[in-house]
């Protein structure tokens, strides 16, 4: 179940432009989405002897997608084996291995102009899914014949509907999902590790572990011919295939020693690790075939002959040394200190290594002699911690090198018959580790014989030298080639975290456990690098704002929404009133400012667990308060497309009207204003599950240890004011959080399950 507020039948086109009913009234959301079946099977076997233990499992997931007729699906099979043996009192050995394979079929999404969901939301309802009874408009046939492209048909031979009134890139979303653009990803992973643990004397152990991880992804994309408009057309069969392989080994060694001296407890740990990752692209090819010559998407045919054998030139090696010291006195006074030093080839020569310390301390006050044993407060602990972590995530490497290439997309660069070359990126010798530093102060409480638990934390996380791998953000337009990765600045996140729980079992056998959590967040950029003081890093682009819709600015939330603030609608003209924010007379691009933040003010969640005899019940929920969302699939250049119904119902119509949105003649200027920003707060019931466990007197008869049946509604109910499909949108790119470009929404699931233990 999706809470859909505004994408209903298109009154906007019918009333504003006086289009008449043509016999069609298509609910595109209903037509694009469909119920889907998912089934999952898991089996595991475990056992142990005095010196040997084992665990094996196998699982298979087969999930149909809710978009299209078989256009989206996901299948995965996983096999796991874990073995552990005590060879001698002083030696333990073990092996853990996992193999998984998956097949994924997907659609185009997260695209302002070329996504299935985006087209679903903007196509007019006066277009049918397919034409019936031979009612194909002559204009559709003429369009296909003129461009020598066949009309789009479903599997039954029915011609898909072409947009009746929507213009530009708009395509029938059902045809787009089922017949036009298909993407498949076949992947496998093999992960294994083996270890030896030596215990030569009491309190001391040494472990050496070697792991190996091998992955392969085979991605294929095919696009069939179609001609809907000059902006939405493909007159050949086009396709691409990319096979990427990854191999990684990790060798870890650590020694630990524990010693108890009276009430003093000491623990020492020291370790060393090394790892290497290599990525290759043995196959990367693309091509096209004319309609007359097409015999199928066979990438071995001459028409698909672009092939590159690539070895990723970016080294990805890292060595680390780490140590930790832990101490406690009678479990009352606690202290721990650790340090880690990492060295990665992804950074320039002078900055390859980073050192990251951490400290924590705690005091269990309730263990002091002065604490009353009969106190209703059973447990009271004060704690504090501070530490640093280094990050190299999403870093390509080779930032300190300027590379020159003689090929582009597998083709040699040719200039008037001469072999050419070009720079791929400017070097950055100053790139350093991204460092996250976090301070945490907390209190833990337990009361009423430990039935009530409560904790509160204050946290402050400061991310310094945040890495951005898109060097174009700081590259002047005159440079010709982009800059390599760079450190953008410092981001600060701080707030409070609260958690409370209460659980007990009553005399009549009712079991209950209630838990809730809440976190506050303040996000702020405290430093910006590489650009002049008072300026910003541009962020995500969008059709409605040529300057981009997000910004990274000192003193503001990171990647806030960027545009014009409004001061209502002019009651006389129906035009948007733009606020002058720069103090200079007249409205210019300098008046664009912060019009919303994608970061939440509050995150919350909780669960309710109940049980009575053989019955159990579980409810989980989560949500956010205070975050904003901006939808970018509504474009000023496409006025004759479907729009949210509140654009129409709340618009200005006549002089004197007090309205929330401008009149029809003044719509274009509103797309880069705060009128496009919506409150993204929501609460989602993640799960409602009801189960029943058969009594032992029945399971014993069929030689079972346990048999439980359950039914569950997952992600079924959402409460939100956001007028898009899903407030929990999936864009988590660093500069596009909260930007809705048309996402595959979270699917509601009704689950029936059976769990057996032998």
């Amino acid at each position: 179940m999706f809470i859909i507020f505004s994408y209903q039948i298109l009154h906007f086109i019918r009333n504003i432009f006086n289009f008449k009913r043509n016999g069609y009234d298509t609910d595109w959301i209903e037509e694009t989405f469909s119920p889907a079946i998912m089934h999952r099977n898991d089996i595991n076997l475990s056992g142990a002897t005095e010196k040997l233990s084992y665990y094996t499992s196998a699982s298979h997931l087969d999930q149909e997608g809710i978009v299209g007729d078989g256009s989206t699906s996901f299948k995965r099979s996983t096999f796991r084996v874990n073995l552990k043996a005590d060879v001698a009192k002083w030696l333990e050995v073990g092996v853990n291995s996992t193999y998984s394979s998956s097949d994924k079929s997907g659609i185009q999404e997260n695209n302002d102009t070329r996504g299935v969901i985006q087209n679903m939301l903007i196509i007019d309802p006066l277009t049918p899914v397919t034409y019936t009874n031979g009612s194909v408009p002559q204009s559709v046939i003429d369009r296909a014949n003129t461009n020598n492209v066949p009309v789009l048909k479903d599997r039954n031979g029915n011609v898909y509907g072409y947009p009746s009134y929507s213009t530009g890139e708009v395509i029938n979303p059902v045809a787009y999902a089922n017949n036009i653009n298909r993407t498949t990803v076949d992947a496998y992973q093999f992960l294994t590790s083996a270890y030896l643990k030596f215990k030569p004397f009491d309190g001391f152990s040494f472990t050496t572990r070697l792991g190996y991880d091998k992955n392969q992804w085979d991605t294929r994309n095919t696009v069939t011919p179609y001609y809907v408009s000059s902006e939405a057309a493909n007159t050949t069969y086009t396709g691409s295939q990319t096979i990427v392989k990854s191999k990684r080994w990790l060798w870890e060694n650590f020694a630990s020693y524990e010693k108890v001296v009276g009430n003093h407890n000491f623990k020492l740990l020291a370790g060393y690790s090394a790892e290497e990752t290599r990525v290759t692209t043995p196959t990367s090819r693309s091509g096209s075939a004319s309609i007359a010559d097409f015999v199928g998407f066979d990438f071995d045919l001459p028409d698909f002959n672009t092939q590159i054998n690539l070895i990723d030139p970016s080294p990805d090696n890292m060595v680390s040394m780490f140590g930790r010291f832990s101490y406690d006195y009678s479990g009352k006074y606690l202290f721990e200190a650790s340090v880690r030093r990492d060295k990665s080839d992804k950074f320039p020569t002078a900055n390859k290594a980073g050192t990251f310390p951490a400290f924590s301390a705690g005091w269990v006050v309730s263990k002091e002699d002065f604490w009353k044993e009969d106190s209703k407060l059973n447990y009271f602990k004060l704690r504090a911690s501070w530490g640093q972590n280094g990050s190299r995530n999403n870093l390509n490497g080779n930032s300190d090198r300027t590379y020159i290439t003689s090929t582009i997309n597998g083709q040699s660069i040719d200039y008037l018959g001469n072999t050419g070359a070009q720079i791929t990126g400017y070097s950055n010798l100053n790139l350093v580790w991204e460092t996250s530093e976090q301070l945490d102060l907390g209190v833990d409480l337990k009361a009423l014989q430990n039935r009530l638990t409560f904790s509160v934390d204050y946290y402050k996380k400061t991310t310094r030298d945040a890495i951005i791998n898109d060097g174009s953000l700081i590259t002047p337009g005159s440079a010709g080639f982009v800059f390599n990765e760079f450190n953008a600045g410092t981001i600060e996140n701080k707030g409070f975290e609260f958690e409370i729980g209460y659980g007990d079992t009553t005399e009549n056998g009712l079991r209950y456990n209630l838990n809730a959590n809440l976190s506050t967040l303040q996000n702020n950029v405290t430093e910006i690098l590489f650009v002049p003081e008072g300026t910003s890093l541009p962020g995500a682009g969008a059709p409605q704002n040529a300057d981009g819709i997000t910004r990274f600015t000192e003193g503001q939330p990171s990647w806030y929404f960027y545009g014009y603030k409004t001061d209502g609608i002019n009651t006389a003209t129906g035009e948007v009133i733009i606020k002058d924010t720069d103090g200079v007379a007249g409205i210019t691009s300098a008046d664009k400012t912060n019009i919303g933040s994608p970061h939440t003010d509050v995150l919350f969640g909780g669960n309710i667990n109940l049980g009575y005899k053989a019955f159990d019940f579980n409810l989980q929920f989560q949500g956010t308060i205070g975050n904003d969302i901006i939808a970018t699939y509504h474009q000023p250049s496409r006025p004759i497309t479907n729009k949210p119904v509140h654009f129409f119902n709340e618009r200005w119509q006549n002089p004197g009207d007090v309205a929330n949105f401008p009149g029809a003649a003044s719509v274009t200027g509103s797309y880069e204003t705060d009128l496009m920003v919506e409150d993204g707060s929501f609460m989602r019931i993640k799960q409602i599950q009801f189960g029943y466990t058969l009594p032992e007197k029945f399971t014993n008869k069929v030689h079972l240890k346990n048999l439980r049946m359950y039914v569950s509604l997952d992600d079924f109910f959402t409460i939100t004011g956001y007028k898009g499909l899903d407030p929990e949108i999936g864009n988590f790119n660093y500069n596009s959080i909260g930007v809705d470009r048309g996402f595959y929404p979270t699917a509601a699931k009704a689950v029936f399950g059976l769990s057996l233990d032998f």
Side-chain angles (χ1 to χ4, degrees):
M1 172 181 176
F2 303 110
I3 305 300
I4 301 171
F5 287 83
S6 59
Y7 296 103
Q8 305 297 330
I9 302 305
L10 183 59
H11 300 291
F12 185 85
I13 287 179
R14 292 178 183 159
N15 293 296
I16 296 290
F17 295 98
N18 270 332
F19 290 127
K20 297 180 180 179
R21 291 183 179 273
N22 60 357
Y24 297 110
D25 194 7
T26 306
D27 184 340
W28 283 106
I29 292 178
E30 182 70 24
E31 297 294 342
T32 304
F33 293 125
S34 61
I37 300 297
M38 177 186 73
H39 64 84
R40 175 171 179 169
N41 304 300
D42 297 274
I43 185 171
N44 63 74
L45 177 66
S46 61
T49 64
E50 184 178 348
K51 293 187 176 183
L52 176 69
S53 63
Y54 64 90
Y55 173 87
T56 62
S57 68
S59 67
H60 178 74
L61 171 67
D62 190 341
Q63 182 174 359
E64 298 175 358
I66 59 173
V67 175
D69 183 13
S71 305
T72 55
S73 63
F74 181 71
K75 296 180 181 180
R76 182 182 64 212
S77 297
T78 303
F79 305 92
R80 179 177 292 112
V81 176
N82 297 341
L83 298 173
K84 187 182 76 170
D86 293 319
V87 179
K89 290 184 178 180
W90 53 270
L91 177 61
E92 175 186 313
V93 300
V95 177
N96 302 315
S97 297
T98 302
Y99 175 84
S100 66
S101 63
S102 63
D103 299 313
K104 178 182 179 181
S105 179
I107 59 169
Q108 294 293 304
E109 61 170 331
N110 188 23
N111 193 305
D112 302 310
T113 59
R114 286 291 188 269
V116 172
I117 304 301
Q118 170 261 345
N119 275 282
M120 178 194 74
L121 295 172
I122 67 173
I123 190 172
D124 62 83
L126 304 179
T127 296
V129 178
T130 59
Y131 300 108
T132 57
N133 302 321
S135 60
V136 182
Q138 187 62 41
S139 62
V140 171
I141 298 174
D142 292 342
R143 212 178 313 175
N145 292 335
T146 301
N147 295 279
N148 296 315
V149 174
V151 294
L152 293 166
K153 295 182 179 180
D154 67 10
R155 63 177 59 184
N156 297 317
N158 300 311
V159 177
Y160 279 111
Y162 283 57
S164 299
Y165 299 105
S166 301
T167 59
E169 302 91 348
V170 181
I171 303 173
N172 183 323
V174 180
Y176 197 17
N178 293 339
N179 288 67
I180 295 178
N181 196 314
R182 302 292 295 272
T183 299
T184 62
V185 181
D186 296 334
Y188 78 81
Q189 179 187 47
F190 175 67
L191 176 64
T192 187
S193 66
Y195 72 90
L196 298 173
K197 185 175 183 180
F198 300 91
K199 298 172 282 187
F201 54 87
D202 288 345
F204 178 82
S205 67
F206 174 77
T207 301
T208 181
R209 178 165 53 215
L210 181 63
Y212 179 74
D213 186 5
K214 183 178 181 180
N215 296 269
Q216 177 175 300
W217 301 269
D218 184 348
T219 303
R220 303 185 182 211
N221 177 256
T222 58
V223 183
T224 57
Y226 64 96
Y227 191 97
V228 177
S229 68
S230 59
E231 295 99 332
N234 179 53
T235 57
T236 61
Y237 287 89
T238 59
S240 65
Q241 179 191 22
T242 303
I243 298 177
V244 177
K245 295 183 177 181
S246 171
K247 296 179 180 180
R248 174 178 178 260
W249 60 260
L250 171 64
W251 184 36
E252 299 174 291
N253 301 272
F254 44 91
S256 64
Y257 180 68
E258 300 181 20
K259 183 68 173 178
V260 177
V261 181
N263 292 324
H264 303 274
N265 301 288
F266 301 91
K267 293 182 181 180
L268 287 171
L269 182 142
Y272 169 87
S273 67
E275 62 180 282
E276 177 185 86
T277 302
R278 285 292 178 265
V279 178
T280 60
T281 306
T283 302
S284 177
R285 52 189 176 182
S286 61
S288 62
S290 66
I291 296 174
D293 297 334
F294 182 74
V295 294
F297 280 109
D298 184 350
F299 291 99
D300 291 322
L301 292 175
D303 290 325
F304 300 92
N305 59 3
T306 302
Q307 183 164 344
I308 312 171
N309 292 309
L310 291 176
I311 298 176
D312 191 338
S314 303
D316 191 1
N317 306 317
M318 190 168 78
V319 295
S320 304
M321 293 180 290
F322 48 90
R324 184 175 67 228
F325 169 72
S326 303
Y327 168 79
D328 78 78
Y329 178 78
S330 297
K332 181 168 31 178
Y333 308 117
L334 315 171
F335 175 78
E336 186 170 279
S338 66
V339 64
R340 182 182 182 95
R341 183 169 176 82
D342 298 314
K343 185 178 181 180
S344 171
D345 281 342
K346 284 198 170 187
F347 292 92
T349 302
N351 303 322
K352 290 184 182 297
T355 303
F356 310 104
F359 305 92
S360 65
W363 178 25
V364 183
V365 184
S366 54
K367 287 193 174 184
E368 294 289 357
D369 294 337
F370 58 76
W371 197 264
K372 296 181 179 180
E373 292 186 2
D374 59 350
S375 174
K376 292 184 178 181
L377 189 61
N378 311 114
Y379 184 83
F380 179 30
K381 179 181 179 181
L382 300 173
R383 49 187 167 78
S385 63
W386 174 92
Q388 292 182 337
N389 287 310
S391 175
R392 60 190 181 115
N393 290 339
N394 301 318
L395 188 61
N396 295 322
N398 292 333
S399 64
D400 57 338
R401 302 178 185 180
T402 298
Y403 277 89
I404 297 175
T405 183
S406 59
T407 62
I408 298 178
N409 296 325
Q411 301 293 330
S412 298
I413 299 175
D414 182 86
Y415 180 73
L416 300 178
N418 299 309
T419 301
Q422 74 174 39
I423 295 173
T424 59
Y426 291 118
S427 64
N428 176 11
L429 298 174
N430 300 312
L431 186 74
V432 299
W433 282 80
E434 177 179 297
T435 302
S436 293
E437 176 182 299
Q438 182 157 330
L439 170 70
D440 187 275
L441 305 174
V443 177
D444 297 324
L445 302 173
K446 295 180 182 180
L448 305 178
Q449 297 181 347
N450 297 325
R451 291 192 295 269
L452 176 66
T453 61
F454 176 77
S455 66
V456 58
D457 288 79
Y458 168 78
Y459 70 92
K460 180 179 178 181
K461 181 179 180 181
T462 304
T463 301
R464 294 187 171 87
D465 300 309
I467 294 176
I468 292 179
N469 58 16
D470 183 3
S472 66
L473 301 183
I474 59 172
T475 305
S478 59
F481 308 101
V482 299
F483 203 60
N484 286 340
E485 298 101 330
F486 67 100
N487 300 105
T490 301
I491 304 170
E492 182 181 274
N493 292 282
K494 61 182 180 181
F496 291 90
E497 297 178 338
F498 303 90
E499 187 170 353
I500 188 170
Y502 189 87
D504 197 8
T505 301
T506 64
E507 292 182 356
N508 60 4
L510 175 65
R511 308 179 303 276
Y512 59 92
N513 199 314
L514 315 176
N515 293 278
N517 60 78
L518 182 148
S519 302
T520 66
L521 172 64
Q522 294 181 32
N523 175 279
N524 188 47
V525 176
T526 59
E527 179 188 28
I528 189 170
L529 305 173
F530 277 99
V531 296
E533 185 177 353
T535 60
S536 307
L537 289 174
Q544 64 261 59
N545 193 334
D547 299 321
I549 54 168
T550 62
R551 280 290 189 276
F552 189 85
T553 306
E554 186 172 337
Q556 297 284 352
S558 60
W559 305 111
Y560 61 88
F561 299 138
Y562 181 72
Y564 293 111
K565 285 188 175 182
T566 62
D567 194 17
I569 305 300
N570 189 311
T571 57
T573 65
E575 297 177 346
V576 179
I577 302 173
I578 304 295
K579 285 187 178 181
D580 190 332
T581 61
D582 68 349
V584 178
I587 301 299
T588 67
S589 60
D591 292 299
K592 290 184 178 180
T593 185
N594 183 349
I595 58 173
S597 171
H599 305 289
T600 61
D601 296 326
V602 175
L603 300 91
F604 64 89
N607 63 77
I608 301 172
N609 290 301
L610 303 175
Y612 181 71
K613 295 184 178 179
F615 295 95
D616 61 85
F617 172 82
N618 179 60
L619 183 147
Q620 298 180 28
F621 64 91
Q622 69 178 45
T624 66
I625 299 173
N627 58 297
D628 295 315
I629 297 175
I630 185 168
T632 61
Y633 41 79
H634 301 302
Q635 300 181 42
S637 61
R638 303 293 177 231
I640 309 180
T641 52
N642 198 11
K643 299 293 188 293
V645 71
H646 65 282
F647 282 20
F648 174 78
N649 291 337
E650 301 176 30
R651 79 192 190 284
W652 180 94
Q653 300 180 65
N654 301 300
D657 286 351
V658 177
N660 294 323
F661 290 91
S666 306
V667 170
T668 301
S670 66
Y671 283 94
E672 51 184 338
T673 72
D674 55 11
L675 294 179
M676 297 296 107
V677 178
E678 296 185 48
D679 183 5
S681 304
F682 74 96
M683 186 182 77
R684 172 164 283 162
I685 307 299
K686 296 295 295 181
Q687 185 179 74
I688 302 176
Q689 186 178 108
F690 180 77
Y692 177 75
T693 302
L694 262 66
E696 289 186 5
K697 63 180 180 180
F698 294 107
T699 57
N700 289 338
K701 292 180 180 180
V702 291
H703 306 289
L704 293 175
K705 290 183 178 180
N706 184 70
L707 192 157
R708 178 176 178 265
M709 299 170 288
Y710 63 91
V711 59
S712 180
L713 299 179
D714 298 349
D715 298 309
F716 234 79
F717 304 101
T718 302
I719 301 170
T720 183
Y722 178 55
K723 298 179 176 62
L725 275 182
D726 189 349
E728 205 171 7
I729 60 174
N731 202 335
F732 299 106
N733 194 22
Y734 68 95
N735 65 355
S736 298
I737 300 174
V739 178
D740 188 352
R741 302 183 189 275
F743 278 92
Y744 198 109
T746 303
K749 297 177 284 291
V751 182
F752 301 89
L754 181 67
S755 177
L756 301 174
D757 290 337
F758 296 93

